[in-house]
Amino acid sequence: MILRYDGTFAGFLTVVALARERGVEPEAITDRQPEQQALFAAVEEVATDRQRAAAFYGLLRRTLTAGALHTLRLAFHAAEPGRELLLLHFLQLGCVVGQQLDGMLAHERVVPVWKLARAVGREAHRYKGLVRFQHLDGDIWYAAIEPEHRILPLVAPHFADRFADQRWIIHDPRRGEAIIFDPARRTWTDTELEVTGPLPLSDGERLFRELWQRYFDRLAIEERRNPELQRQHLPLKHRRHLSEFDQ
């Protein structure tokens, strides 16, 4: 059996709680259309039940440590096919051994989840220093990033605290997802977003870009250019949306 959910963390917890209540082991858990080879497997659509999800998460909080729950949340945001099944097995073990799970890093059900969590956590931390906002007409600050993992919800609290008095958007155009911060309510929401044309840059932003480029051109010393070293410190995949590399 394949259990299909809406891709949210609450939806995932609903699926795990349901599987636990039924005592079943799903063949897969997915938020996408099942692959061709799985077309003949029974697919059950599981609607998100926030009450059931909250009750199950309460059980996890009583059973596992805060560190294990943090690992769970990070790994959930990994762009790894089949991660849901890995997380299910992780939680199944955790519900049996409880807080001892923290000391079982070599266990086959813990290792892959811990590796995913570490990769997601590192990328989220890195992007806190790689987000570059552009000032748009309407006094909105916009930034685009294209991370490997779905880290928008992980970086949102950092920028909500740092830029609490600004209206801003952080956009992942590759996935068509964004987080939008409302300074009046001091809250952020996630939404779908697609940008199809040029951004409406403010006059101040255009001036800043021109001044920055002049500064960069004047400061650069051609004889000391070292593209290979530069790529080591800042890989090409991160430069698409950085104003420093905007020509």
Side-chain angles (χ1 to χ4, degrees):
M1 174 181 292
I2 297 175
L3 300 179
R4 187 177 177 187
Y5 72 114
D6 62 1
T8 65
F9 188 63
F12 169 71
L13 292 178
T14 300
V15 168
V16 177
L18 188 64
R20 177 181 170 85
E21 293 168 13
R22 295 179 179 176
V24 299
E25 184 75 22
E27 177 183 334
I29 301 173
T30 182
D31 61 346
R32 300 177 176 85
Q33 186 68 27
E35 296 180 358
Q36 187 71 25
Q37 60 265 30
L39 287 179
F40 296 103
V43 179
E44 180 179 346
E45 300 283 347
V46 179
T48 297
D49 183 336
R50 295 192 175 276
Q51 186 174 359
R52 174 180 272 150
F56 181 60
Y57 193 69
L59 171 65
L60 294 179
R61 292 184 64 182
R62 295 190 298 273
T63 306
L64 306 178
T65 65
L69 290 176
H70 185 59
T71 296
L72 169 68
R73 293 299 295 261
L74 289 177
F76 176 76
H77 290 283
E80 178 73 17
R83 77 188 188 286
E84 292 92 347
L85 214 55
L86 296 176
L87 294 175
L88 171 65
H89 295 156
F90 176 78
L91 292 177
Q92 287 174 334
L93 177 63
C95 287
V96 173
V97 302
Q99 296 189 4
Q100 297 179 38
L101 189 66
D102 285 8
M104 302 174 67
L105 295 181
H107 195 282
E108 62 181 5
R109 293 197 170 192
V110 177
V111 171
V113 174
W114 183 80
K115 287 183 176 179
L116 289 179
R118 182 176 62 174
V120 173
R122 284 179 173 176
E123 184 173 55
H125 178 73
R126 186 183 308 118
Y127 265 97
K128 290 176 183 178
L130 289 175
V131 173
R132 296 293 187 271
F133 287 98
Q134 305 171 68
H135 193 224
L136 308 183
D137 287 340
D139 198 22
I140 299 175
W141 294 89
Y142 170 90
I145 61 175
E146 296 188 42
E148 179 179 351
H149 303 290
R150 302 179 71 174
I151 63 169
L152 289 184
L154 302 177
V155 301
H158 169 79
F159 291 100
D161 180 64
R162 188 171 182 183
F163 302 114
D165 60 342
Q166 304 289 338
R167 297 168 61 200
W168 53 259
I169 299 170
I170 301 180
H171 183 204
D172 183 346
R174 185 159 61 91
R175 296 184 174 89
E177 301 171 348
I179 49 176
I180 300 177
F181 182 74
D182 179 0
R185 299 171 55 194
R186 296 293 181 96
T187 59
W188 59 270
T189 56
D190 57 324
T191 185
E192 296 180 356
L193 179 64
E194 182 179 2
V195 176
T196 58
L199 293 171
L201 301 178
S202 68
D203 292 339
E205 178 69 22
R206 295 179 190 279
L207 176 61
F208 172 80
R209 288 187 171 211
E210 181 181 348
L211 293 175
W212 169 252
Q213 196 60 54
R214 288 181 184 177
Y215 171 78
F216 184 83
D217 291 341
R218 292 285 183 87
L219 186 67
I221 301 175
E222 185 64 27
E223 291 76 11
R224 299 188 64 180
R225 290 183 70 251
N226 190 337
E228 183 177 348
L229 180 62
Q230 192 179 60
R231 284 193 295 270
Q232 290 177 10
H233 289 282
L234 189 63
L236 294 174
K237 67 179 182 179
H238 295 308
R239 302 184 189 184
R240 184 192 305 270
H241 303 291
L242 294 181
S243 56
E244 293 93 321
F245 296 91
D246 185 28
Q247 297 298 325

